[in-house]
Amino acid sequence: MNIGFIGLGVMGQPMALRLARSGTPLVVWNRTASRTAPLRAAGAEVAADPGEVFARTDVVFLMLADDHATDAVLGRGGPDFAARVAGRVVVHMGTTSPAYSRALEADVRAAGGSYVEAPVSGSRVPAENGRLVAMLAGEERAVETVRPLLAPLCQETFVCGPVPDALLMKLSVNLFLITLVTGLTEAFHFAERQGLDRRLLLDVLDAGPMASPVSRMKAPKLLAGDFDVQAAALDVLKNNRLIAEAARASGTASPLLDVCHALFEETVSLGHGGEDMVAVLRAIEARTAAGPARAAADRAQTPVGPA
């Protein structure tokens, strides 16, 4: 089975490299052509355009930034769409709104193709190490076609049911991740402001029951002031918005998420959107620098309930 992979960004490139190095016959394309060079070196074939990827493969993985990029690659809404997806399995691995995914599935199936949601939990380092966790949704036959293909990328795969339940599961996981990393970052900021040894804080956390792969990845970055991207703050803000929209649509309160949403908006507005999500530290520092009036306002803030 020939596999296509489109979208070689922070996550997509290491994922595609894992597939190529495992011996998977792979055809790739990326809007920024220079991102394909490591794939070519690993044995993948590089297509001239997205249409060539679909023409030469049976299953196409899409790891793209948003719904607009996905529609553009698929030619959705134009004459190329049916030709690209008919008889193929389209695997949507990016994080978009559940409503978008549901509508895309309907269009792909109407054009004679199959559709699988397969968002993953994990950042760049787990992607490089094949330690991602995939959530799959779609028709059973298509899901069972895709599931074994993910073996080089994922330590676990979970079947979540019909579309868009995989994306809803991913948003649930991301809600926990966002609040977890924001809390860890605030703890480091608090310790520093109290004059504590932050390396000692890292050691105490690492020895205790709250240690996790996330804390062991993010705490050293905070200690070193290392904001190189594993998961960009701008992408976290996008995920935060998607979760908030889903919460509002279902009348679900999300008070912790709402606080994080504001902090990541501030992080991006301060110019740190391209840095790792631990750069939320900059927004917390800015609030501290704003002085007692801002601190009092933060304490008095009422969490936003469902609209």
Side-chain angles (χ1 to χ4, degrees), residues 3-8 12 15-16 19 26-29 53 61 63:
I3 309 300
F5 202 106
I6 298 176
L8 303 175
M15 292 166 68
L19 289 171
L26 198 64
V27 181
V28 303
W29 181 84
V53 176
F61 292 99
M63 191 60 175

Side-chain angles (χ1 to χ4, degrees), residues 275-300:
E275 298 174 0
D276 190 74
M277 66 187 297
V278 295
V280 72
L281 175 66
R282 299 310 189 204
I284 298 170
E285 289 174 336
R287 289 194 182 198
T288 294
R294 179 58 190 260
D298 292 341
R299 287 194 296 271

Side-chain angles (χ1 to χ4, degrees), residues 143-169:
V143 167
E144 291 309 313
T145 296
V146 170
R147 196 175 190 181
L149 301 178
L150 296 172
L153 312 179
C154 301
Q155 61 179 344
E156 294 279 358
T157 58
F158 295 92
V159 177
C160 298
V163 172
D165 283 2
L167 268 170
L168 287 168
M169 186 69 73

Side-chain angles (χ1 to χ4, degrees), residues 34-89:
S34 60
R35 300 285 295 177
T36 65
L39 273 299
R40 193 189 299 274
E45 298 185 47
V46 178
D49 54 48
E52 183 183 347
V53 176
F54 285 93
R56 296 176 58 186
T57 59
D58 308 295
V59 178
V60 181
F61 292 99
L62 305 177
M63 191 60 175
L64 297 163
D66 53 33
D67 50 356
H68 301 295
T70 303
D71 286 347
V73 158
L74 291 169
R76 191 175 177 207
D80 295 332
F81 178 72
R84 289 184 182 182
V85 306
R88 293 172 183 85
V89 182

Side-chain angles (χ1 to χ4, degrees), residues 7-229:
L8 303 175
V10 171
M11 292 289 289
Q13 188 187 69
M15 292 166 68
L17 280 168
R18 294 281 309 181
L19 289 171
R21 290 167 178 164
S22 74
T24 301
L26 198 64
V27 181
V28 303
W29 181 84
N30 191 67
R31 184 178 59 181
T32 303
S34 60
R35 300 285 295 177
T36 65
L39 273 299
R40 193 189 299 274
E45 298 185 47
V46 178
D49 54 48
E52 183 183 347
V53 176
F54 285 93
R56 296 176 58 186
T57 59
D58 308 295
V59 178
V60 181
F61 292 99
L62 305 177
M63 191 60 175
L64 297 163
D66 53 33
D67 50 356
H68 301 295
T70 303
D71 286 347
V73 158
L74 291 169
R76 191 175 177 207
D80 295 332
F81 178 72
R84 289 184 182 182
V85 306
R88 293 172 183 85
V89 182
V90 176
V91 186
H92 175 38
M93 302 193 78
T95 306
T96 60
S97 75
Y100 168 81
S101 185
R102 186 187 292 113
L104 180 57
E105 180 196 35
D107 286 353
V108 169
R109 292 178 64 181
S114 298
Y115 180 83
V116 174
E117 278 182 351
V120 294
S121 180
S123 57
R124 178 177 56 82
V125 172
E128 291 171 346
N129 296 332
R131 304 292 292 173
L132 298 171
V133 175
M135 293 143 278
L136 295 92
E139 289 186 304
E140 182 178 356
R141 183 174 180 181
V143 167
E144 291 309 313
T145 296
V146 170
R147 196 175 190 181
L149 301 178
L150 296 172
L153 312 179
C154 301
Q155 61 179 344
E156 294 279 358
T157 58
F158 295 92
V159 177
C160 298
V163 172
D165 283 2
L167 268 170
L168 287 168
M169 186 69 73
K170 169 70 184 292
L171 295 182
S172 300
V173 170
N174 279 4
L175 195 162
F176 179 48
L177 174 65
I178 291 166
T179 55
L180 178 68
V181 173
T182 304
L184 175 67
T185 303
E186 185 172 323
F188 262 75
H189 178 64
F190 176 82
E192 181 176 43
R193 293 286 297 184
Q194 305 309 313
L196 300 179
D197 181 340
R198 295 189 310 148
R199 180 174 294 279
L200 181 60
L201 171 63
L202 188 153
D203 292 341
V204 172
L205 285 172
D206 200 41
M210 291 176 291
S212 69
V214 172
S215 69
R216 288 174 176 144
M217 185 182 300
K218 298 301 186 184
K221 290 177 74 65
L222 286 163
L223 183 65
D226 171 16
F227 298 134
D228 286 349
V229 172

